[in-house]
Amino acid sequence: MTKILVLEKPEEKLRRERERLLGELSVYGERLAFLQDTVDEIKEMIEYYDKAIEHLGTDELTQLEQAIADEVGVHTLFTKRCAGVHEGKVYTRPEYLLNTLQVQGYKYLARDENSELYAFKEKPKKYESLAYWNAGGSNYSLIKKDNFPEVKWAYDEPTEISELLASYENGGESGK
């Protein structure tokens, strides 16, 4: 059997190679555009973190956490107030945090003398001499202490989450 060797014309070879390179350029161009967008977003976030560092200890840091956690974008950074933080999630309204706690089985809030705030699944007992509340076991969760300032150590009984939630939902003093 005889083999026939077909030689490609130089012009055809050049055109084929040119088309291949155009295809690669298109793919890399799309990747580059995506990477540039990502770099721009990272630079923008770094700017907002720099602002947050400048404002440590002020409301602006809490609002930064809210903007990031709510994934509403950094453009609302200083426009909303953070209403609550629990387990790393930032809540824009106290009702949302209270609802989450209820769904997780928590029924009571109580504040220790050192201002730490806890959610309990069982009704806790106040230990004045030890300056804290305890329900026994591990059925409690530490809540960021600047949440729910209306819950006070001075109370003889823990605050029921359902009552506090109703107060917020009805626009009561806690819901203002």
Side-chain angles (χ1 to χ4, degrees):
M1 181 183 279
T2 326
K3 290 186 179 181
I4 301 177
L5 183 61
V6 178
L7 296 176
E8 186 176 24
K9 294 181 183 176
E11 182 180 332
E12 290 173 0
K13 185 175 182 178
L14 291 172
R15 287 186 192 280
R16 191 171 34 86
E17 183 63 17
R18 180 182 180 277
E19 291 301 315
R20 185 189 67 76
L21 290 173
L22 283 173
E24 279 187 32
L25 180 63
S26 174
V27 168
Y28 288 124
E30 289 173 13
R31 288 181 186 169
L32 182 60
F34 170 77
L35 290 173
Q36 186 60 53
D37 289 345
T38 303
V39 166
D40 291 343
E41 288 174 14
I42 291 170
K43 285 179 180 177
E44 188 175 4
M45 290 305 299
I46 289 170
E47 288 177 25
Y48 286 106
Y49 278 104
D50 288 343
K51 287 180 184 178
I53 290 167
E54 289 175 26
H55 295 98
L56 282 173
T58 66
D59 286 343
E60 284 83 0
L61 181 61
T62 304
Q63 293 163 357
L64 173 70
E65 292 170 350
Q66 175 196 344
I68 294 168
D70 285 349
E71 297 178 24
V72 296
V74 291
H75 306 293
T76 60
L77 184 61
F78 299 116
T79 61
K80 288 181 166 181
R81 179 111 172 98
C82 172
V85 179
H86 176 59
E87 294 182 348
K89 183 169 182 189
V90 180
Y91 295 84
T92 57
R93 298 188 60 176
E95 301 93 314
Y96 299 161
L97 174 52
L98 292 169
N99 275 321
T100 298
L101 291 169
Q102 274 191 325
V103 167
Q104 293 176 350
Y106 295 100
K107 298 176 185 171
Y108 301 94
L109 292 177
R111 190 175 301 279
D112 288 348
E113 190 174 40
N114 67 358
S115 297
E116 293 294 342
L117 181 64
Y118 293 89
F120 293 90
K121 292 185 176 183
E122 303 297 323
K123 188 173 182 177
K125 181 179 176 187
K126 185 175 186 178
Y127 294 90
E128 295 260 358
S129 61
L130 299 173
Y132 70 85
W133 293 81
N134 192 336
S138 61
N139 289 328
Y140 66 91
S141 180
L142 180 65
I143 309 293
K144 192 171 181 197
K145 67 174 142 185
D146 60 345
N147 295 321
F148 309 110
E150 61 272 33
V151 177
K152 311 252 185 241
W153 164 252
Y155 296 163
D156 292 328
E157 292 291 320
T159 302
E160 290 189 37
I161 291 175
S162 60
E163 290 178 8
L164 187 57
L165 180 59
S167 174
Y168 276 99
E169 289 175 342
N170 293 329
E173 189 169 309
S174 298
K176 287 184 180 174

